[in-house]
Amino acid sequence: MFKYIISLWFVLATFLGHAQAQQSKDTIASEKKDSIKPKTERYGLRLGIDLFKLTRSFSEKNYKGLELVGDFKFTRKHYLAGEIGNENKTVQDDHLNFTTKGTYIKAGFDYNTYENWFGMHNMIYVGLRYGVSTFSQTLNSYTVYNPYPYFGQSPVTVDGTKYDGLSAQWIEVVAGVKAELFNNLYIGFSVRMNNLISNKVPDNFDNLYIPGFNRTYGGKFGAGFNYTISYFVPLFKTILKPKEKKKD
């Protein structure tokens, strides 16, 4: 998975460079046509969908998921951002088969570290999210660990116990890229590092997978990524003030 993430990151970073070059040509051409109009900065809402979860729902029989993403630009560098989604995943381990179902919401902000030329809205950003998930776990089957396998394997026990009313909260650090494909249409990719701050665990079981958080790896740590397509809806513009020249 790590190689897949690095490859996607490289492709998007390369595309962002080409997009920046093409957009700069268009910007220079438009500025030559009309140099009298004041320069403006667009602000608005960008809405999209996580393509990874969508395609995974069709390619994996044990997974169904959907995530909607959005951000709102309120300064030249800062964005309010969030995700909302649901997941239904069955996990088969060596000794355990269980199903997790639930919904989640994440809210926070992104900071764009990329210095766009005028008229461009690409992003290389870092951000922070606060995530909340409510879900249920169903223990489908399990086998008792046998430390002496040469005496024979333990039989599979079909269970079906369902644990409802579970919840978890976490902090998520985000790093990503968003590049403009066409006018107002963006493709993006991000990686996430998660840390649990609360986790309601059922009796005689554990939350090994949390919707929106992913695998817990037996502790508080989690990780994930997404790649998105989104559309920017301009809501208003502000006139950019020309920079004052420094006096000698």
Side-chain angles (χ1 to χ4, degrees):
M1 189 179 80
F2 183 73
K3 291 182 179 180
Y4 181 66
I5 292 174
I6 294 297
S7 299
L8 274 176
W9 190 277
F10 177 77
V11 169
L12 280 174
T14 303
F15 178 80
L16 189 147
H18 287 300
Q20 186 84 322
Q22 182 59 44
Q23 290 173 1
S24 66
K25 293 178 181 178
D26 296 339
T27 301
I28 293 171
S30 63
E31 286 180 347
K32 287 181 178 179
K33 289 181 179 179
D34 193 353
S35 60
I36 300 176
K37 292 182 179 179
K39 294 181 178 180
T40 59
E41 182 77 12
R42 298 186 305 166
Y43 294 82
L45 183 65
R46 181 164 35 202
L47 298 172
I49 191 171
D50 180 8
L51 295 176
F52 175 68
K53 285 185 174 61
L54 186 63
T55 55
R56 189 180 176 190
S57 297
F58 292 102
S59 61
E60 293 185 24
K61 65 178 182 179
N62 292 329
Y63 180 87
K64 297 294 180 185
L66 178 68
E67 180 178 280
L68 303 178
V69 301
D71 61 52
F72 176 76
K73 181 179 179 181
F74 65 96
T75 76
R76 294 196 68 189
K77 291 288 187 178
H78 296 86
Y79 296 73
L80 295 175
E83 298 84 24
I84 184 170
N86 67 81
E87 289 187 291
N88 181 340
K89 180 175 175 61
T90 297
V91 178
Q92 175 65 61
D93 285 341
D94 293 337
H95 303 283
L96 193 65
N97 182 294
F98 66 92
T99 299
T100 302
K101 297 179 182 180
T103 60
Y104 61 90
I105 185 170
K106 307 175 190 179
F109 67 90
D110 291 331
Y111 177 77
N112 188 12
T113 64
Y114 193 68
E115 196 63 42
N116 281 293
W117 290 10
F118 173 71
M120 302 176 190
H121 304 89
N122 298 316
M123 294 180 68
I124 298 177
Y125 63 92
V126 292
L128 195 67
R129 302 284 190 278
Y130 177 78
V132 178
S133 179
T134 58
F135 55 98
S136 66
Q137 303 269 23
T138 301
L139 178 57
N140 301 317
S141 62
Y142 64 91
T143 57
V144 178
Y145 174 69
N146 182 7
Y148 308 106
Y150 45 83
F151 287 122
Q153 295 292 335
S154 300
V156 176
T157 301
V158 178
D159 193 295
T161 302
K162 187 175 182 179
Y163 305 94
D164 289 315
L166 305 177
S167 62
Q169 301 177 49
W170 66 90
I171 295 294
E172 188 168 293
V173 178
V174 185
V177 174
K178 288 181 182 176
E180 192 170 11
L181 279 174
F182 306 104
N183 188 30
N184 294 332
L185 186 66
Y186 291 80
I187 188 170
F189 172 74
S190 70
V191 293
R192 285 118 190 286
M193 306 297 289
N194 312 328
N195 188 66
L196 279 172
I197 56 178
S198 72
N199 185 18
K200 186 178 179 181
V201 180
D203 296 332
N204 303 319
F205 198 55
D206 197 3
N207 294 328
L208 303 178
Y209 189 94
I210 298 173
F213 184 90
N214 299 324
R215 291 296 295 264
T216 59
Y217 298 100
K220 293 186 174 183
F221 171 76
F225 70 96
N226 69 1
Y227 61 90
T228 62
I229 187 166
S230 55
Y231 187 82
F232 178 72
V233 181
L235 298 178
F236 61 92
K237 297 179 181 180
T238 60
I239 297 176
L240 293 177
K241 295 181 180 179
K243 294 182 179 180
E244 296 182 358
K245 295 181 178 181
K246 293 183 180 180
K247 296 181 180 180
D248 294 336

